[in-house]
Amino acid sequence: MKLSFFLIAAFGLAAVIRSNAAPLSEAQVTEMKNQVNYRAESEADRAARLGDRVRGADVLRTGEKSLAEMEFEDKTITRLGPQSVFSFKSAEREFQVKEGLGLFCMPKGSGGGRIVTAAITAAIEGTTVLALAAGKIVFLEGTGKVFTNDGRQQHAIRGGEIAFLEKGQLVVRPIALQPILRSRFLRSRPRQLPTTPLILAVAREQENGGVGDINDPAGRNESLIVPLLNREFSGNRPPLLP
Amino acid sequence: MKLSLCILLGGLVMTGAATLRAADTNVEDASEFDQMLTAGVKSEPWGEVSSDTRVYRSTNIQLLPDNLFYPERADTVVAQTFTVRLQHHLSDAVLAELILRYQLYRYLNTESLDFNTQSATFQLSGEIPDLFRWYGNFTAQRQEFVRGRDGEFFKMYNPEFGIWRDLVLNRHLTLFGGYQLDWRPSSPGFFDRVDNTLYAGCTVALLDRLSAQLLYRLSLHDYTNYRDRFDVNQLGGITLFYTFCANARVELFVNYIHNDSNLATRDYDIWEGGGALRLSFNF
């Protein structure tokens, strides 16, 4: 009886926490380079300005060699690359990368969200994700889930992995982060992402072996921890005596 | 003259600003990123072969309490491990591995104790996202003397289960901790034991390729078939890792082990210190 009560209470609490995910009401444009256009709902395109507030159904569009960065009220940071088109659905907390590429840095406890590309969707919270509109999603750090847009296939994913469709199958593969981190899109921005230390930790683990390492997919950090755990350091001799 | 200088300086400033602006805004577009990602995707390897060579000094190679009847003996140990590991994802969440190990233990002075170990492990492992990672395995192991004795002297079968997780605090510091349960039926039977192990530690990135790891391990050894023997075994260790690449690494380590048994003759202390070279190849 007590157990049932606790289970019901736990599920109830989880439901309350889940339902507390506030809608994404608006984002403020915090950085712009070159040509960035903003189109408010039912208005014509105009040049975007720093401080513009992008709301649901508004569209932000970047031109060639341009980028834009926005920050939502829940501190989610969205950076758009060149020739990209972005909008979002407020109530569903859904980010849509319709063209180009986007970087999303969503803090933990914000209520989560979804990133939608042409082929696949990622469910995220407390993660940093790079999404190509054509249908590739890279988790730079954190964990999440990816789905095909028809919802028929899904896959867990974590930092240092990429999801894409291959011959109709949703696949998740390890990917080397260092080349991505060296890109101009990620580095050399005036403002550092708050999750940069976590991203660098994943990249370092990839290089050093261990968590996130393709050669240690169990993520058991075997080469670093296990020698002290399992090898008979306290028994480097034949067990002659019990 | 002054006018020329101003024009020249102005030109330099303008050129510099233009260069800066071009570099600042010339970010990769989606197609360039697509190429970068395609090049960076790695296919999952079938497995790995590796070699781990350790040379270290141990103050107490026979785990003795260092009294009149059981004096400690120090020696230099060379431990060479060859490992072949095959892996296959059974599902998104579960990885299966077959691990074969061949180990050689050689003593510099106490050659009569030189022995080899062979083991085979089948392991399943996975992750409960945001909670912990788990592993369960079964190992069969045998040990045999190299010289002067009658070959095989020890066998064990070891079902093992563990959970652990790590916590990245910042780019320099990662904490980790876990629990492991081992059941080790052995031959001879008086080695049978059940181990409950808790451990915690941290990895500190000192430089780009240099890391330090601190580990504390508390292990309770319940010998189920020998005079109610029960040991509390504690280990503290620090290891420095220098990584040349994902497939080559050197280590320096110092460990202290303290074993407190309810049988006085099974108390012991050990200091160990030495170096290691680990090489691996993925296929």
Side-chain angles (χ1 to χ4, degrees):
Chain A
M1 182 64 186
K2 274 187 180 174
L3 180 65
S4 308
F5 173 77
F6 281 120
L7 284 175
I8 291 167
F11 281 117
L13 183 64
V16 168
I17 291 169
R18 191 72 198 159
S19 66
N20 275 349
L24 289 164
S25 54
E26 62 179 27
Q28 191 170 3
V29 178
T30 54
E31 191 198 347
M32 292 188 333
K33 294 293 175 196
N34 292 344
Q35 185 195 347
V36 180
N37 280 1
Y38 165 67
R39 193 184 71 210
E41 192 176 7
S42 71
E43 287 183 20
D45 267 21
R46 66 163 170 83
R49 293 183 288 264
L50 281 177
D52 267 346
R53 293 183 182 276
V54 183
R55 298 184 175 85
D58 294 356
V59 174
L60 204 67
R61 185 189 303 271
T62 55
E64 204 175 329
K65 297 187 175 182
S66 306
L67 64 80
E69 191 169 297
M70 293 163 283
E71 183 172 329
F72 286 84
E73 288 169 322
D74 66 357
K75 304 294 180 192
T76 297
I77 295 169
T78 302
R79 186 181 295 167
L80 292 185
Q83 297 174 301
S84 301
V85 178
F86 170 83
S87 66
F88 69 94
K89 289 182 179 175
S90 172
E92 292 90 343
R93 298 179 63 85
E94 184 176 289
F95 306 92
Q96 297 174 328
V97 188
K98 294 175 176 171
E99 289 175 30
L101 72 154
L103 177 75
F104 301 87
C105 178
M106 179 175 277
K108 272 191 176 164
S110 59
R114 298 198 306 162
I115 299 169
V116 181
T117 68
I120 60 176
T121 295
I124 63 167
E125 182 176 355
T127 48
T128 308
V129 169
L130 179 75
L132 266 63
K136 289 183 177 175
I137 295 180
V138 180
F139 272 58
L140 302 178
E141 55 88 22
T143 58
K145 270 199 168 178
V146 283
F147 307 83
T148 52
N149 284 353
D150 61 10
R152 289 183 181 171
Q153 301 174 54
Q154 60 170 291
H155 208 300
I157 185 170
R158 68 174 185 228
E161 293 184 332
I162 181 173
F164 54 93
L165 282 184
E166 188 176 68
K167 295 175 185 168
Q169 290 295 311
L170 176 63
V171 292
V172 172
R173 295 258 192 278
I175 186 166
L177 289 191
Q178 282 296 359
I180 300 172
L181 300 184
R182 282 196 292 268
S183 69
R184 293 180 292 275
F185 182 58
L186 264 81
R187 67 177 168 87
S188 307
R189 305 300 347 135
R191 181 181 175 196
Q192 201 181 45
L193 294 172
T195 52
T196 297
L198 303 176
I199 298 169
L200 292 175
V202 175
R204 193 179 60 244
E205 291 288 357
Q206 281 188 331
E207 295 212 324
N208 292 354
V211 181
D213 175 19
I214 184 175
N215 302 322
D216 181 20
R220 200 178 151 192
N221 212 354
E222 177 168 355
S223 55
L224 295 185
I225 297 174
V226 171
L228 286 177
L229 280 181
N230 282 353
R231 282 186 204 148
E232 293 288 296
F233 262 80
S234 59
N236 277 324
R237 58 93 171 106
L240 298 176
L241 299 170
Chain B
M1 181 65 184
K2 277 186 181 174
L3 183 64
S4 308
L5 189 61
C6 285
I7 291 171
L8 180 63
L9 285 173
L12 282 173
V13 169
M14 286 178 70
T15 309
T19 308
L20 185 65
R21 194 163 53 243
D24 194 29
T25 58
N26 193 20
V27 294
E28 300 84 353
D29 62 20
S31 63
E32 288 173 281
F33 251 101
D34 199 15
Q35 289 173 12
M36 189 190 304
L37 298 183
T38 303
V41 174
K42 301 174 180 179
S43 57
E44 190 176 302
W46 287 76
E48 177 192 75
V49 289
S50 64
S51 161
D52 184 295
T53 309
R54 285 168 191 271
V55 180
Y56 59 94
R57 185 75 179 168
S58 169
T59 59
N60 186 1
I61 59 168
Q62 291 177 293
L63 318 187
L64 296 176
D66 197 24
N67 57 29
L68 184 63
F69 301 103
Y70 299 101
E72 284 182 356
R73 180 185 291 185
D75 206 344
T76 300
V77 185
V78 179
Q80 171 66 48
T81 305
F82 298 105
T83 305
V84 178
R85 185 168 60 80
L86 303 172
Q87 64 181 48
H88 181 68
H89 267 104
L90 296 182
S91 71
D92 291 351
V94 180
L95 178 79
E97 293 169 278
L98 177 65
I99 303 162
L100 304 174
R101 283 200 178 93
Y102 194 96
Q103 296 176 294
L104 303 95
Y105 285 92
R106 299 292 181 267
Y107 298 89
L108 193 64
N109 298 316
T110 323
E111 294 173 349
S112 61
L113 294 181
D114 289 354
F115 70 103
N116 296 339
T117 296
Q118 297 112 43
S119 71
T121 300
F122 177 71
Q123 174 164 286
L124 297 176
S125 59
E127 180 177 4
I128 309 287
D130 297 326
L131 289 177
F132 54 77
R133 300 176 200 213
W134 61 268
Y135 55 91
N137 62 51
F138 178 82
T139 297
Q141 186 194 88
R142 67 185 292 274
Q143 299 182 351
E144 61 186 5
F145 285 118
V146 173
R147 54 172 74 86
R149 294 174 189 252
D150 296 328
E152 180 181 293
F153 61 89
F154 177 73
K155 274 194 300 193
M156 86 171 174
Y157 303 98
N158 182 190
E160 179 181 276
F161 175 76
I163 56 173
W164 73 279
R165 73 164 296 165
D166 61 359
L167 184 63
V168 179
L169 292 188
N170 56 52
R171 63 177 297 190
H172 295 291
L173 183 61
T174 303
L175 305 179
F176 61 85
Y179 164 78
Q180 183 171 297
L181 171 68
D182 289 85
W183 176 42
R184 300 167 56 150
S186 308
S187 172
F190 44 68
F191 290 120
D192 291 358
R193 78 185 205 212
V194 175
D195 294 353
N196 282 279
T197 303
L198 286 169
Y199 59 93
C202 65
T203 304
V204 184
L206 302 172
L207 298 170
D208 200 27
R209 294 180 179 277
L210 183 69
S211 302
Q213 187 177 81
L214 292 166
L215 175 75
Y216 171 74
R217 182 191 74 182
L218 171 66
S219 196
L220 307 178
H221 300 166
D222 184 4
Y223 287 77
T224 57
N225 208 11
Y226 184 74
R227 296 169 57 192
D228 294 327
R229 178 180 171 186
F230 188 85
D231 291 8
V232 178
N233 186 280
Q234 297 180 78
L235 178 148
I238 181 167
T239 306
L240 285 175
F241 299 90
Y242 186 85
T243 306
F244 296 101
C245 63
N247 299 102
R249 188 179 73 218
V250 291
E251 301 172 13
L252 287 174
F253 58 86
V254 176
N255 298 314
Y256 172 70
I257 300 122
H258 174 72
N259 195 72
D260 187 11
S261 176
N262 60 348
L263 303 182
T265 54
R266 302 295 178 263
D267 292 339
Y268 59 84
D269 294 279
I270 312 171
W271 280 97
E272 295 172 335
L277 170 67
R278 187 177 191 279
L279 302 170
S280 62
F281 172 74
N282 305 102
F283 55 89

